[in-house]
Amino acid sequence: MKVLVIGGGGREHALCWELSRSPQVEEIFAVPGNAGISEIAQCKKIEYEKNFSSLAGLVSKEGIGLTIVGPEVPLVNGIVDYFQKKGLVIFGPSKAAALLEGSKVFAKRFMKKYHIPTADFKVFSNPDKAIAYVEKRKAPIVIKADGLAAGKGVLVAETPQKAVKAIKLIMEKKAFGEAGKRILVEEKLFGQEVSFIVLTDGKTVRPLVSSQDHKPIYNHDQGPNTGGMGAYSPGPISASLHKKIMRRIIIPTLQGMKEEGREFKGVLYAGLMIKGADPKVLEFNVRFGDPETQVTLPRLKNDLLEVLLAVQDQSLNQVHLEWRPQAAVCVILASRGYPGSYDKGKPIKGLEKLSRLSNIFTFHAGVKREDHRLVTSGGRVLGVTALSKNLKEAIRQVYRAVDKVYFEGMYCRRDIGYKALGKKR
Ligand code: AMP
Ligand code: GLY
């Protein structure tokens, strides 16, 4: 079968790489892809957030049997509905179901209605009212833009003054455009953050192995949030906590969505905060995590194509996910300046050394080919993953690999996975 992967980050490279290991995959296409993806897939430059007719045209012309959507924007804009109307097979939730990520206000009201544990919140569409409210509250306070903001729409304010500044930034200066027409003001939660990601075909739910992302830019979780600076798997989830998350969060969410006429099919990603033994939802995503995918897929034993097709034809009950017992750790190499404005066009050296190492996988994100060499083209540039017998060993190996790569201004966190070992670096 020919497949198409939409997106061009590390997550999509990991998806293409995993699909390339399936004996049933005949050819991979990617839109837009990146330098690393182009080694295993045919990359096409098509606008993919809205231009669904061109994407569908490619699928029909090439006889592509399955399309997999990496990023959230096309899902929230209704790519799945568009493809299905044309009789094309696509993996992901419908537009109605993708609202769980597309509107944080919808998600919070939904959770309240179905008694799914989450932080207390209030919704505002008037900045003056929001400001008057936060001025009376005790800090810290979390301010969130309602709509999609490329992972940047959440501001954790340590004082009411900073909360006021955040409200003005979102609602008056319109830093995230229309996404900031409404905001949430939330109680700040404390604890361990965990990514709990499941596949569902609407009837059966199959959780992926657990993983933990590292969102802040600096070691020991300091500094502003990023898209994710690294991840490890397995994450800090005991069997009893796993059961609780399924019972209190995942199952009621999927049932509630069905009751709302928004049946969910695809990947449901619950970003959770765990305090003691109590999980609460920070956010829902309706797609694979990035960088979580770079640690979960290297642990998957199944044929990914078979798994995704089973979600499609609602035969997931026939599929049992099997995982390698090893631990995986992924470290993101970022450009100087990220998550603010960052350098671009810096030549990348040393990658050929990584391809000679076994159980080290390199996933490209902001990388492009220019005059036969690889140069940086994004904030998150590369993800380097090590798979090893345990977490301690995987951490050792991943940093040994990372130290063979160089580009000017290269930055990475040095403490990925240390939390799980119960120590600071
Ligand atoms: P979200 O996009 O809602 O996941 O928010 C991005 C990040 O902001 C999360 O991964 C958390 O690190 C942080 N965050 C969001 N909501 C809260 C909250 N209520 N309390 C503490 N941290 C939060
Ligand atoms: N790892 C965070 C995300 O995928 O949203």
Side-chain angles (χ1 to χ4, degrees):
M1 179 182 284
K2 293 184 186 179
V3 297
L4 166 64
V5 172
I6 294 178
R11 166 184 50 206
E12 289 77 18
H13 192 181
L15 285 164
C16 289
W17 168 77
E18 187 66 33
L19 287 164
S20 75
R21 307 210 290 185
S22 162
Q24 300 178 58
V25 171
E26 189 187 320
E27 193 172 8
I28 305 174
F29 290 83
V31 173
N34 60 34
I37 293 175
S38 73
E39 285 169 20
I40 46 178
Q42 267 206 56
C43 295
K44 304 274 181 192
K45 276 210 170 59
I46 299 175
E47 195 289 321
Y48 63 86
E49 293 189 342
K50 289 198 187 101
N51 188 358
F52 303 149
S53 66
S54 294
L55 292 171
L58 171 71
V59 166
S60 304
K61 179 169 151 244
E62 300 290 349
I64 290 166
L66 175 68
T67 298
I68 300 130
V69 188
E72 61 277 10
V73 177
L75 293 168
V76 169
N77 286 343
I79 188 171
V80 169
D81 311 55
Y82 186 94
F83 269 48
Q84 284 174 348
K85 252 186 225 144
K86 296 218 172 285
L88 305 173
V89 182
I90 184 164
F91 174 87
S94 65
K95 182 174 182 170
L99 200 61
L100 212 44
E101 178 166 0
S103 167
K104 291 186 192 293
V105 170
F106 168 79
K108 292 294 280 194
R109 288 181 171 154
F110 169 84
M111 285 187 264
K112 195 169 176 188
K113 180 170 173 188
Y114 290 93
H115 309 289
I116 294 158
T118 188
D120 284 339
F121 69 99
K122 257 182 138 36
V123 179
F124 291 95
S125 44
N126 176 318
D128 297 332
K129 287 191 180 155
I131 288 169
Y133 176 75
V134 300
E135 278 174 340
K136 281 187 281 177
R137 278 188 63 101
K138 271 202 243 121
I141 305 166
V142 181
I143 311 290
K144 297 184 175 181
D146 175 34
L148 294 181
K152 300 198 178 120
V154 175
L155 302 157
V156 180
E158 298 303 333
T159 61
Q161 292 76 11
K162 285 190 180 154
V164 170
K165 227 169 127 186
I167 294 169
K168 288 186 174 165
L169 181 76
I170 299 175
M171 300 189 91
E172 292 178 356
K173 296 193 186 128
K174 301 196 179 351
F176 310 114
E178 287 295 290
K181 264 182 90 170
R182 285 191 299 182
I183 60 161
L184 286 164
V185 177
E186 258 183 50
E187 154 205 30
K188 180 171 175 177
L189 297 177
F190 296 89
Q192 279 247 38
E193 225 177 302
V194 172
S195 307
F196 198 90
I197 303 172
V198 305
L199 287 169
T200 178
D201 61 2
K203 294 188 207 151
T204 303
V205 187
R206 294 277 186 245
L208 306 188
V209 272
S210 59
S211 57
Q212 189 175 49
D213 187 6
H214 296 58
K215 294 237 168 94
I217 182 82
Y218 303 125
N219 288 344
H220 313 312
D221 289 336
Q222 301 296 309
N225 270 334
T226 68
M229 292 303 294
Y232 67 90
S233 173
I237 294 197
S238 65
S240 66
L241 184 58
H242 179 103
K243 261 197 208 149
K244 201 183 274 181
I245 293 167
M246 288 298 287
R247 197 176 63 232
R248 291 196 192 164
I249 294 170
I250 302 297
I251 304 297
T253 298
L254 296 173
Q255 268 170 3
M257 288 297 277
K258 211 174 271 182
E259 280 173 42
E260 298 289 310
R262 297 174 184 272
E263 185 180 60
F264 199 98
K265 270 174 86 173
V267 181
L268 178 67
Y269 166 147
L272 306 176
M273 192 70 96
I274 316 280
K275 192 175 176 196
D278 276 330
K280 286 189 177 174
V281 178
L282 289 169
E283 64 162 347
F284 285 115
N285 295 316
V286 299
R287 47 158 180 86
F288 286 106
D290 191 350
E292 290 90 331
T293 305
Q294 290 93 301
V295 289
T296 49
L297 290 185
R299 296 191 58 208
L300 181 69
K301 282 190 187 168
N302 303 61
D303 180 330
L304 180 64
L305 182 73
E306 278 178 11
V307 176
L308 300 179
L309 288 172
V311 170
Q312 249 350 92
D313 62 20
Q314 296 200 300
S315 61
L316 198 57
N317 62 342
Q318 307 289 319
V319 173
H320 292 278
L321 297 181
E322 288 187 61
W323 303 97
R324 296 191 170 83
Q326 289 103 318
V329 177
C330 173
V331 173
I332 299 294
L333 308 185
S335 298
R336 175 166 50 212
Y338 179 75
S341 58
Y342 48 80
D343 295 347
K344 277 187 191 169
K346 305 294 180 194
I348 303 170
K349 300 193 182 108
L351 280 182
E352 68 292 342
K353 292 184 200 147
L354 302 200
S355 57
R356 292 197 287 267
L357 300 174
S358 63
N359 289 324
I360 294 287
F361 313 107
T362 308
F363 300 114
H364 291 205
V367 181
K368 74 174 184 193
R369 198 173 291 282
E370 207 176 73
D371 306 330
H372 304 291
R373 57 178 196 173
L374 297 177
V375 300
T376 65
S377 66
R380 291 194 288 180
V381 177
L382 291 159
V384 179
T385 297
L387 186 67
S388 195
K389 61 180 182 204
N390 58 38
L391 210 51
K392 194 171 164 200
E393 192 51 27
I395 292 171
R396 201 175 69 79
Q397 290 189 13
V398 81
Y399 281 109
R400 208 172 55 175
V402 160
D403 288 336
K404 296 186 192 301
V405 184
Y406 173 79
F407 52 87
E408 196 192 316
M410 178 177 118
Y411 169 76
C412 68
R413 273 181 65 161
R414 284 276 157 187
D415 64 341
I416 303 300
Y418 277 79
K419 266 185 252 185
L421 302 181
K423 55 179 167 191
K424 282 199 164 183
R425 188 187 160 266

